[in-house]
């Protein structure tokens, strides 16, 4: 893995240039409250169709409540980051590669010494899975993980909802709404949708990796999550006994949007209880 420290700024957005996944990538990033130089850093990892802009102001709310710095970025293929060529299909290990290749390279390029200034990772959906995989691969380079509606394995309810999303993308205004957040909306949508509906992906499972996580974990899921059962977060608790579970009533797959105040408070409390790096 090689990286370059070249970055450019444009209207508050920083573009980090790095080499990972076998190619040169330009990733869209935004810093939150960088003036809090000595405060903990929370890195926000978006969902399968997310981006910097789709978080809206929620990461700022979390960082203000927790008195933290924040880093938000769009993964390869999303937002204003390098678009995935339509001819390139995600492989079943795509989340492993994001956790083990891209995120470490991004932190290095941005000058974050993860082993010294251990970040907290907040990941939603696929981002939650990536956060857990990073913590398993680099247990000495993370202070804590908040996994909101993460996926550990593929369930029938996940596949059914993702198939419904495909229909909505083709037949409703979903494509136009997503298009406001991605420079290549077809790249973003089909990369996510195709791999999740690929029969080979049904065997994907990251439960074994959880046993290598050493940091505290807060696992959050809505009781009414349309993309997964509560077994997703409960399995984290069995594999990583230092996990705190938060199951939220009247809440679907996006706890930070469905019950924002509850999640902001829970994250701030969790971060405040962590041991300081060093």
């Amino acid at each position: 893995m090689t990286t370059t420290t070249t970055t450019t700024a444009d209207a508050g957005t920083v573009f980090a240039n790095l080499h990972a996944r076998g190619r040169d990538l330009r990733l869209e990033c935004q810093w939150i409250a960088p003036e809090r130089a000595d405060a903990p850093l929370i890195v926000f990892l978006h969902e399968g169709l997310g981006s910097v802009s789709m978080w809206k102001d929620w990461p700022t709310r979390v960082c203000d409540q927790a008195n933290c710095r924040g880093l938000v970025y769009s993964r390869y293929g999303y937002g204003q980051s390098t678009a995935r060529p339509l001819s390139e299909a995600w492989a079943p290990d795509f989340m492993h590669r994001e956790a083990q290749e891209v995120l470490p390279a991004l932190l290095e390029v941005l000058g974050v010494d993860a082993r010294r200034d251990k970040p907290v990772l907040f990941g939603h959906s696929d981002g939650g899975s990536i956060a857990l995989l990073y913590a398993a691969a680099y247990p000495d380079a993370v202070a804590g993980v908040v996994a909101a509606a993460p996926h550990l394995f593929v369930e029938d309810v996940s596949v059914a909802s993702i198939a419904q999303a495909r229909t909505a993308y083709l037949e409703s205004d979903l494509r136009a709404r997503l298009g406001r957040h991605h420079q290549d909306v077809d790249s973003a949508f089909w990369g996510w949708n195709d791999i999740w509906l690929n029969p080979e992906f049904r065997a994907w499972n990251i439960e074994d990796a959880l046993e290598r996580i050493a940091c505290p974990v807060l696992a959050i899921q809505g009781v009414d999550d349309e993309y997964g059962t509560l077994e997703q977060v409960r399995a984290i608790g069995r594999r990583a006994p230092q996990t705190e579970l938060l199951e939220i009533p009247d809440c679907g797959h996006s706890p930070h949007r469905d019950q924002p105040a509850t999640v902001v408070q829970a994250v701030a409390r969790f971060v405040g209880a962590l041991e300081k790096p060093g």
Side-chain angles (χ1 to χ4, degrees), residues 1 21 116 130 143 220 261:
M1 176 181 67
R21 299 186 65 99
R116 184 193 66 195
I130 293 166
I220 303 172

Side-chain angles (χ1 to χ4, degrees), residues 201-213:
F201 195 63
R202 291 304 296 259
W204 178 84
N205 187 305
I206 66 170
E207 289 180 277
D208 288 347
L210 303 181
E211 297 173 1
R212 299 193 294 273
I213 296 176

Side-chain angles (χ1 to χ4, degrees), residues 18 21 25-29 43-53 55 72-84 90 94-99 102-103 106 122-131 151 181-184 187-188 191-192 195-196:
L18 56 100
R21 299 186 65 99
L25 300 177
R26 185 171 184 261
L27 300 186
E28 174 193 24
C29 310
V43 180
F44 294 87
L45 307 170
H46 64 71
E47 63 188 299
L49 291 176
S51 67
V52 167
S53 63
W55 284 110
V72 187
Y73 75 100
S74 297
R75 295 198 301 273
Y76 168 43
Y78 296 92
Q80 303 307 308
S81 293
T82 300
R84 173 192 63 91
W90 295 134
F94 77 100
M95 284 187 263
H96 288 77
R97 297 193 68 182
E98 288 294 328
V102 182
L103 181 53
L106 176 64
F122 181 100
H124 173 225
S125 192
D126 286 10
S129 306
I130 293 166
H151 303 285
H181 300 282
H182 303 284
Q183 66 165 316
D184 188 333
S187 169
W192 166 78
I195 185 57
W196 270 95

